[in-house]
């Protein structure tokens, strides 16, 4: 057991549905609705800003696939994809997590808000500040090239089953 | 030109999509025909300030291409959107002095989607700002979890699928999938009912007030209930009909 509830989920097979090199899809242990899924990085990172761009990119792609699975497998009438980034935003676990929640008519989940009325000046101030900062956006971080790719291919040729077995053995404490 | 229900029925999905696009306020914003407070723009997407913000600095990030719901958008667009969302969240943290951000996507009217154009909400947050977005956390039994795994694993693996070049995912597929229990219809019904009861209990005293459903939803709901009558077998095998979900807006 680690100090992080999400890392614990990553270490057990109980809730996991999908896993690749960087990300995990798992069922929420305390769901907002049955079928509530979570997509999170394997590596322990607290907020989205710490997730490398190329992993963040794949994160929403996976969340969308999870959302499709909810439409298909559970006949969800809608889905929400939600990220609470920072405790001020209601983040309860210190591990960046995208929530995918199946929605039904009349469920008690509330993702609406009361619009705030801002005067023209406030809107312009916010606009200018954000715009100035957003000028720096671009040059997204790409996945680093892996020099060992050839070996990976060799491993594939040796057979995945063997790989799988080796992995199993390695798991034994 | 007025379009009747009859016209809609005779239209191809492509024609309906084209019609949606013509009537989409966000497409007009993207093309510049409707004024907006633009924060960021590149070849694929645009971010503007929401005119009905949950908090000051609430941004809407939109793909330039018209997609009614996220599952209609191609992977590269979705991936790009989230990298930009991350950067915009960071921009809000840096420039507005806020302490967090809520990033939200809604698919479908029941999920709170207000317009038929995919958008990512990026909402700056301050401690105690009184906004909701708090998810209920409800207990769930191990047997229910197993059942959900059975319902979701196959279609998840199909969509998240096997990327051929990545041996790691291939490996994943070799993993032994526990035998899927076929849920009987009454079982799944029961689960849903119980959850609704729980939810009511949970909500007493919490700040979340379920909104009155807008009038237009009542008609759609009956449509949505039809699939419930199908046998679980059919449910499982039914392909995801994205167009059907997207049509909720037409």
């Amino acid at each position: 057991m680690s100090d992080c509830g999400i890392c614990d989920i990553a270490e057990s097979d109980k809730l996991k549905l999908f896993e690749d090199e960087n990300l995990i899809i798992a069922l929420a242990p305390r769901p907002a609705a049955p079928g509530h899924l979570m997509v999170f990085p394997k590596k322990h990172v607290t907020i989205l800003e710490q997730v490398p761009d190329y992993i963040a990119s794949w994160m929403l792609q996976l969340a969308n696939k999870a959302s499709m699975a909810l439409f298909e497998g559970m006949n969800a009438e809608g889905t929400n994809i939600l990220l609470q980034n920072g405790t001020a935003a209601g983040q309860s676990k210190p591990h960046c997590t995208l929530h995918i929640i199946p929605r039904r008519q009349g469920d008690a989940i509330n993702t609406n808000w009361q619009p705030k009325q801002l005067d023209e000046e406030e809107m312009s101030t916010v606009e200018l500040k954000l715009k100035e900062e957003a000028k720096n956006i671009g040059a997204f971080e790409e996945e680093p090239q892996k020099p060992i790719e050839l070996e990976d291919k060799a491993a594939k040729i040796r057979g995945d089953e063997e790989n799988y077995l080796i992995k199993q053995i390695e798991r034994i404490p | 030109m007025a379009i009747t229900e009859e016209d809609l029925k005779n239209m191809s999905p492509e024609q309906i999509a084209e019609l949606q696009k013509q009537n989409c306020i966000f497409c007009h914003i993207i093309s510049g025909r409707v004024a907006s407070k633009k924060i960021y723009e590149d070849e694929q997407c645009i971010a503007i300030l929401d005119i009905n913000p949950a908090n000051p600095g609430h941004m809407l990030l939109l793909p330039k291409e018209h997609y009614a719901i996220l599952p209609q958008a191609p992977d590269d667009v979705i991936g790009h959107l989230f990298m930009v969302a991350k950067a915009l969240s960071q921009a809000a943290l840096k420039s507005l002095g806020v302490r967090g951000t809520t990033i939200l996507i809604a698919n479908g009217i029941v999920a709170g989607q207000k317009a038929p154009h995919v958008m990512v909400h990026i909402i700056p947050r301050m401690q105690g700002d009184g906004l909701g977005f708090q998810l209920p956390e409800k207990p769930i039994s191990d047997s229910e979890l197993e059942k959900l795994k059975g319902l979701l694993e196959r279609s998840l693996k199909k969509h998240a699928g096997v990327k051929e070049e990545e041996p790691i995912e291939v490996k994943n597929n070799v993993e032994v999938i526990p035998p899927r229990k076929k849920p009987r219809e009454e079982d799944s019904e029961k689960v849903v009912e119980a959850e609704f009861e729980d939810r009511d209990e949970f909500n007493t005293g919490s700040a979340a007030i379920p909104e009155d459903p807008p009038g237009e939803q009542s008609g759609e709901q009956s449509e949505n209930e039809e699939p419930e009558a199908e046998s679980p077998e059919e449910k499982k095998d039914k392909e995801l009909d994205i167009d059907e979900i997207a049509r909720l807006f037409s």
Side-chain angles (χ1 to χ4, degrees):
Chain A
M1 294 286 273
S2 67
D3 289 339
C4 170
I6 301 289
C7 284
D8 289 342
I9 292 173
E11 277 158 26
S12 119
D13 280 333
K14 192 178 159 199
L15 299 162
K16 261 192 287 189
L17 290 173
F18 174 87
E19 174 173 12
D20 67 14
E21 221 171 322
N22 298 310
L23 295 168
I24 284 173
I25 306 180
L27 285 158
R30 293 184 61 79
H36 176 167
L37 297 173
M38 310 187 299
V39 176
F40 54 88
K42 269 187 178 170
K43 193 171 168 232
H44 179 84
V45 285
T46 315
I47 55 168
L48 181 64
E49 281 70 14
Q50 298 165 317
V51 180
D53 287 332
Y54 64 93
I55 297 181
S57 161
W58 184 227
M59 215 172 156
L60 188 62
Q61 293 177 51
L62 274 190
N64 181 51
K65 292 166 200 302
S67 166
M68 285 185 188
L70 291 175
F71 280 119
E72 203 171 79
M74 299 195 62
N75 285 312
E77 292 166 18
T79 57
N80 280 120
I81 298 175
L82 176 73
L83 177 78
Q84 295 152 318
N85 205 28
T87 49
Q91 185 176 353
S92 56
K93 301 212 168 60
H95 192 128
C96 176
T97 305
L98 256 184
H99 296 270
I100 303 96
I101 304 133
R103 298 294 307 271
R104 287 183 193 286
Q105 191 75 51
D107 64 20
I109 300 166
N110 186 12
T111 46
N112 290 315
W113 59 86
Q114 206 62 43
K116 285 198 171 66
Q117 294 304 319
L118 304 184
D119 58 41
E120 200 50 43
E121 205 189 315
E122 268 180 292
M123 277 297 256
S124 299
T125 317
V126 167
E127 182 192 1
L128 285 177
K129 282 183 183 168
L130 284 172
K131 225 174 181 168
E132 191 55 38
E133 194 62 50
K135 276 184 190 158
N136 305 322
I137 299 178
F140 296 107
E141 196 181 342
E142 280 173 29
E143 185 163 10
Q145 289 291 321
K146 281 181 208 136
I148 49 156
E149 207 185 305
L150 277 176
E151 282 172 37
D152 266 357
K153 286 231 169 85
K156 201 175 167 187
I157 293 161
R158 275 207 311 275
D160 294 316
E161 207 172 333
E162 190 191 326
N163 256 352
Y164 170 69
L165 290 173
I166 289 169
K167 209 177 158 203
Q168 284 292 87
I169 292 163
E170 279 166 358
R171 262 193 217 141
I172 296 168
Chain B
M1 189 184 72
I3 290 156
T4 64
E5 291 246 330
E6 197 57 37
D7 289 338
L8 277 176
K9 266 180 211 155
N10 294 328
M11 284 169 122
S12 68
E14 290 78 22
Q15 283 172 313
I16 290 176
E18 189 53 38
L19 184 72
Q20 274 191 349
K21 204 169 162 179
Q22 281 165 17
N23 292 322
C24 174
I25 177 78
F26 290 101
C27 284
H28 292 318
I29 286 174
I30 290 158
S31 68
R33 267 174 289 174
V34 171
S36 65
K37 293 194 186 305
K38 207 185 289 175
I39 302 297
Y40 171 82
E41 180 171 11
D42 63 24
E43 307 83 55
Q44 289 193 53
C45 64
I46 180 172
I48 58 169
L49 283 183
D50 193 330
I51 53 164
N52 290 312
N55 260 344
H58 180 162
M59 290 173 271
L60 304 177
L61 175 60
L62 312 150
K64 285 190 169 171
E65 197 60 46
H66 179 89
Y67 309 106
I69 53 169
L70 196 64
Q72 288 180 320
D75 275 353
D76 61 328
V77 171
I78 293 176
H80 182 74
L81 275 181
F82 211 54
M83 291 196 290
V84 175
K86 174 192 156 185
L88 288 170
S89 159
Q90 203 157 10
L93 293 176
K94 276 189 186 166
S95 69
L96 301 179
V98 294
R99 303 311 302 268
T101 51
T102 291
I103 298 179
L104 176 72
I105 299 169
N107 286 313
I109 294 170
V110 290
Q113 190 177 0
K114 304 284 195 303
H117 192 115
V118 166
M119 65 185 79
V120 183
H121 294 266
I122 298 141
I123 306 165
R125 300 294 305 273
M126 291 296 273
Q127 202 80 50
D129 59 14
L131 291 183
F133 306 120
Q134 212 50 43
L135 295 175
E137 292 190 1
K138 291 184 302 188
I140 186 162
S141 70
D142 284 359
S143 64
E144 270 182 288
L145 285 173
E146 273 311 305
K147 202 188 276 178
L148 287 167
K149 264 192 165 180
L151 283 172
L152 295 171
E153 203 152 30
R154 195 176 66 169
S155 71
L156 193 60
K157 287 237 158 97
K158 188 182 81 194
H159 290 297
V162 195
K163 282 213 297 187
E164 277 163 31
E165 304 244 324
E166 290 192 20
I168 240 170
E169 288 186 26
V170 176
K171 221 186 293 171
N172 224 323
N173 253 13
V174 183
E175 250 174 76
V176 183
I177 301 165
R180 293 151 51 84
K181 285 179 219 150
K182 288 188 182 166
R184 278 170 299 146
E185 180 127 81
E186 57 262 54
D187 282 353
S188 57
E189 289 295 313
K190 243 182 246 163
V191 173
V192 172
E193 250 173 46
E195 287 301 333
F196 276 118
E197 279 159 26
D198 282 358
R199 213 169 266 150
D200 289 342
E201 273 168 43
F202 183 88
N203 254 336
T204 358
S206 95
I209 302 153
E211 299 244 325
D212 285 334
E216 54 175 328
Q217 286 179 357
S218 53
E220 254 115 37
Q221 201 197 351
S222 56
E223 263 181 43
N224 282 329
E225 273 168 5
E226 275 165 33
E228 304 274 344
E230 289 170 9
S231 77
E233 211 62 30
E234 275 171 311
K235 265 187 211 171
K236 248 183 248 167
D237 291 326
K238 201 170 67 176
E239 287 293 309
L240 172 59
D241 187 355
I242 288 167
D243 291 330
E244 195 180 315
I245 300 154
R247 265 204 296 278
L248 288 175
F249 286 102
S250 55

